[in-house]
Amino acid sequence: MAAPRAPLHLVTPVWNRGTRGTRGLSRAVAPEGSQKKGRSLLQFLADRFYDVQALREYLLRKQVLKVHQKNRPFTYIRERFGPHAAGAYFILKQGGAVKFQGKEWIRSDARGHFSLDFLKFQAVPVEAVDASGCAINYQGLDSVLALKELQSLWLQRCPHVDDWCLGRLHPLANSLQELSLAGCPRISERGLASLHHLQNLRRLDISDLPAVSNPGLTRILVEEMLPSCQVLGADWAQGLPSGPEEQSRDTASPLPA
Amino acid sequence: MLRRALQPGLSRGVLGRGLGTHRGRSTLGKVEGSGGYRGSWVAPVSSYVTFRTRDPTHDGKTVGRLGEGDQNGKVSEIKKKIQSVLPRGAWNPLRDTSYLPPEHSDVVIVGGGVIGLSVAYWLKRLEKPQGAIRVLVVERDHTYSQASTALSVGGIRQQFSVPENIQLSLFSVEFLRNINEYLAVVDDPPLDIQFNPSGYLLLASEKGAAVMESNVKVQRQEGAKVCLMSPEQLRNKFPWINTEGVALASYGMEHEGWFDPWCLLQGLRRKVQSMGVLFCHGEVTRFVSSSSHTETTSGEEVTLRRIHEVHAQEEMYLSRCPVCGPGPPSPPPLVPAGEDGPQPGVPACGMCPRDQCGRGLVWPDRRAGWCREGAPWHPAGHPAPCGAEEKGPGLETPFVIDASGAYFRREGLGNNYLGGCSPTEEEEPDPGNLEVDHDFFQDKVWPPLAQRVPAFETLKVRSAWAGYYDYNTFDQNGVVGPHPLVVNMYFATGFSGHGLQQAPAVGRAVAEMVLDGHFRTINLSPFLFNRFYLGEKVQEHNII
């Protein structure tokens, strides 16, 4: 996995470019008569088109970097306290909640502070992770995948969890029993296809996924793919036209989503 | 006396040109001073400056010469102005030609498919300083109706046998995953390449099992996530498969799957246009080059060429370079060996769309794909309405490649599948037309697939199409890097069916070669053109 990430750092980012040589050009083009004092803000911005564009690109890049910063690995904690503590710290830092085996849920408060008592637990595995609403992404999943005995993972409404992330969950196949993906805007049926590795899964929540094209059919196909799993999702009849060719599907009875 | 003073300067000029030549860049200006050893009596010519502009017609000759004294400077300025007004110059006051592609550019990329656009993107991204080079992409069909990119099945995998191929594919996956960071354009919507992370499943018979094991070892060393499965495990995981004749299977768990190549192409196009790459709608017909003779270390005479002009013919009647009149749509063969045709001893460079002399090295192969409807699907436990049908492969179906060479993958949710097979070299159809041969499906594609997946016995063909492979007949691997005899020409071709999945990484490698003179991130020296001379095959075994 080191190979694909290393070249990224060698490429210089183009986002921090300043003004380009054509700024002088736009000034030359502007007629001399428009030097009046009441020049509007719009005219001001239009004259500096490339500057404004560079600024917008910079702001966009800053947002992306913010998410990257949130998903950085905590290698020191991992080396010192072990992968479970590092994963717990990562989740708590993002604003989620963690449950160690035999202990209570640990949450960070409204200000983002949390107690560091869990660092004293010696090799107690993390049992459940609640990362609802967190800005966890593909890189950040490194910390979660290190939790080898994770049983329950909630990724509800995570804005950066997408199909690529779902393809990464297979190392947790032995232990993961509950997975919730409700409300994630970037997950589609293509990512759900890669969940078939998780054969120990007992509960899967795929309700309210806006990017899935056909929720009812997808839910049926996922149920077919994971026979011993209870799938909470869209109602199977959703999106289907009613007609005589429909068969009764009473054994695949849907539970209320 | 004057002649003696001038000659050392002139010879240095020739050497300077050679250096610039080998690096493949056009120098914008070069300042040389003559040495101070001549003493003060040659003060009038003690220093002179040679300019070399981008004007290709004057390559190698000094365009302006400034000596001591103002008069020489004025003369050279006037000379330059006169040259720019003359027909080949940059300034044309009589009509507005701004809509035409530029007369001069630093890099001309022949072909605007995914590889060409990827090279353009990385050139613009890696250039220092920004905006330093002008890149022109020449593409003959902007609808991409016959382009391999648009007609590709769109798979990406790391299950190759050559380590460089695996590294290329790994970087390309990382590029696709972060495509909205690489190819973001302000105010344009983000790209959705519709990636299916379902993985590839390669099946091997008894005799291919040992090769597959060693390949998987190499793949794991490079960082690919591949696992080996026995027939027993295969049956557990994919109950719809018939494991008769399968000894071993390798399954890619991560970073493998398929995506929408058209989206990648349009995303690249949009981004390179925003970066300032210029496009030319035309077909490259001819190169005009100059040659220089040198000797190798063993005393052999070698002719080096340098391309100065690229002539392209547009389809409209506006032909800027009337080399040949509006001709037939089929492309004439291109061999960058100057105007006197291919030289004996030099193999065809690989750009010949047809056999140049009966035996091209890289030529387009036709591959066909079929989109089929599978068996009607029913939920477990319910009787099928008409006859007992087997359950078709479901949502978890990977891209399955059978030992016989036939392959298929799932397409969408409606129980549709996409499959095909590559014809062997003997039964290769004529690359001139892209008509689909339906008998080929009946005889060569369907039987192995129906044997592998019993549910496919009841398939119906919905549609079919054919596309080209840039097939390298030597060793089925790409040709990347400079031409050994044409000093400013670079290749990126011959990928034999996996050009799309290696395009982002190959583009970066070629850009590094053009800008720096060597590969920086992924070392593709095994793929250089020299291997054809030396006879060193870099054989890729896992070609579909």
Side-chain angles (χ1 to χ4, degrees), chain A residues 11-14 17 20, chain B residues 25 54 106-107 119-135 272 274-277 508 511-512 514-516 520:
Chain A
V11 174
T12 54
V14 283
R17 48 190 172 195
R20 299 196 210 165
Chain B
R25 265 194 292 220
R54 281 191 226 160
D106 291 301
V107 180
V119 173
Y121 169 76
W122 283 104
L123 275 172
K124 276 310 205 182
R125 185 161 163 150
L126 297 178
E127 63 182 353
K128 288 204 170 29
Q130 203 190 43
I133 58 177
R134 183 186 287 173
V135 181
V272 301
S274 84
M275 287 167 122
V277 168
R508 187 176 63 165
E512 285 168 1
V514 170
L515 294 172
D516 301 326
R520 269 222 244 134

Side-chain angles (χ1 to χ4, degrees), chain A residues 1 3-5 7-8 10-15 17 20 53 56-57 60-61 64 68 138-139 163-164 167-168 170-171 189-194 196-197 213-214 217-218 220-222 224-225 247-251, chain B residues 122 124-126 128 130 170-171 173-174 176-178 181-182 184 186-187 192-198 222-223 225 237-238 251 253-255 271 377-380 382-383 385 391 395-396 410 413-414 508 520-521:
Chain A
M1 276 295 282
R5 248 183 267 151
L8 192 60
L10 291 175
V11 174
T12 54
V14 283
W15 306 100
R17 48 190 172 195
R20 299 196 210 165
Q53 184 170 7
R56 290 184 71 193
E57 282 176 354
L60 184 70
R61 183 65 188 160
V64 167
H68 277 212
Y138 187 89
Q139 306 294 343
D163 294 337
W164 297 87
R168 248 192 132 183
H170 63 90
E189 67 271 13
R190 300 178 286 274
L192 295 177
S194 56
H196 75 279
H197 294 285
S213 52
N214 203 332
L217 179 59
T218 308
I220 295 171
L221 290 172
V222 170
E224 185 63 27
M225 191 170 79
Q247 299 176 35
S248 62
R249 300 175 200 253
D250 43 353
T251 52
Chain B
W122 283 104
K124 276 310 205 182
R125 185 161 163 150
L126 297 178
K128 288 204 170 29
Q130 203 190 43
L170 279 171
F171 176 74
V173 154
E174 195 255 316
L176 292 175
R177 193 174 70 234
N178 296 315
E181 289 180 26
Y182 282 104
V186 169
D187 283 338
D192 177 19
I193 50 163
Q194 313 213 336
F195 181 70
N196 285 271
S198 296
E222 297 293 328
K225 304 266 195 299
K237 204 154 179 94
F238 304 116
Y251 182 39
M253 315 269 274
E254 263 186 71
H255 306 311
K271 179 68 178 173
W377 178 92
H378 299 279
H382 287 266
K391 212 172 58 177
L395 195 60
E396 76 278 7
R410 174 183 60 82
L413 294 178
R508 187 176 63 165
R520 269 222 244 134
T521 42

Side-chain angles (χ1 to χ4, degrees), chain A residues 25-230:
Chain A
L25 195 68
S26 67
R27 208 179 276 148
V29 162
E32 292 308 314
S34 67
Q35 293 294 325
K36 49 184 192 265
K37 282 182 201 166
R39 215 156 47 147
S40 64
L41 178 66
L42 206 58
Q43 181 69 37
F44 179 81
L45 291 175
D47 281 345
R48 288 153 185 76
F49 176 78
Y50 292 108
D51 298 340
V52 173
Q53 184 170 7
L55 181 70
R56 290 184 71 193
E57 282 176 354
Y58 170 69
L59 292 173
L60 184 70
R61 183 65 188 160
K62 244 180 70 152
Q63 271 185 348
V64 167
L65 281 177
K66 214 162 83 167
V67 174
H68 277 212
Q69 177 67 4
K70 277 199 165 174
N71 282 284
R72 65 194 188 280
F74 296 104
T75 35
Y76 174 69
I77 300 183
R78 192 181 174 136
E79 279 161 24
R80 176 94 194 272
F81 297 103
H84 295 281
Y89 186 85
F90 171 78
I91 296 290
L92 289 167
K93 195 87 175 156
Q94 292 244 336
V98 174
K99 182 179 189 306
F100 282 85
Q101 202 172 55
K103 313 267 193 262
E104 294 296 319
W105 279 95
I106 308 176
R107 248 169 227 285
S108 55
D109 63 8
R111 289 246 207 102
H113 299 148
F114 50 90
S115 80
L116 289 172
D117 293 339
F118 64 89
L119 292 174
K120 296 195 217 75
F121 301 157
Q122 298 290 339
V124 177
V126 173
E127 202 174 56
V129 161
D130 176 10
S132 309
C134 297
I136 192 170
N137 71 358
Y138 187 89
Q139 306 294 343
L141 269 189
D142 278 344
S143 309
V144 174
L145 293 175
L147 307 170
K148 290 295 171 208
E149 292 180 43
L150 190 65
Q151 289 179 7
S152 164
L153 178 60
W154 297 350
L155 293 169
Q156 285 139 328
R157 298 178 311 277
C158 290
H160 300 287
V161 166
D162 57 9
D163 294 337
W164 297 87
C165 300
L166 291 187
R168 248 192 132 183
L169 289 179
H170 63 90
L172 298 176
N174 291 333
S175 59
L176 198 66
Q177 291 178 6
E178 182 184 346
L179 178 63
S180 168
L181 301 168
C184 291
R186 293 203 195 175
I187 291 185
S188 70
E189 67 271 13
R190 300 178 286 274
L192 295 177
S194 56
L195 291 180
H196 75 279
H197 294 285
L198 308 173
Q199 286 298 326
N200 282 331
L201 207 58
R202 296 288 168 262
R203 265 177 65 96
L204 174 63
D205 185 357
I206 50 171
S207 49
D208 192 27
L209 292 174
V212 168
S213 52
N214 203 332
L217 179 59
T218 308
R219 185 196 155 166
I220 295 171
L221 290 172
V222 170
E223 279 176 1
E224 185 63 27
M225 191 170 79
L226 296 168
S228 51
C229 178
Q230 178 197 9

Side-chain angles (χ1 to χ4, degrees), chain B residues 351-418:
Chain B
M351 285 174 62
C352 311
R354 291 215 174 91
D355 289 358
Q356 172 73 16
C357 32
R359 207 173 40 87
L361 268 184
V362 174
W363 40 289
D365 275 10
R366 241 188 48 207
R367 297 284 179 268
W370 280 269
C371 178
R372 301 166 311 218
E373 231 167 77
W377 178 92
H378 299 279
H382 287 266
C386 40
E389 272 138 354
E390 303 231 6
K391 212 172 58 177
L395 195 60
E396 76 278 7
T397 315
F399 197 122
V400 180
I401 306 178
D402 191 36
S404 59
Y407 55 84
F408 77 94
R409 68 160 169 88
R410 174 183 60 82
E411 169 71 28
L413 294 178
N415 226 27
N416 294 320
Y417 305 94
L418 212 73

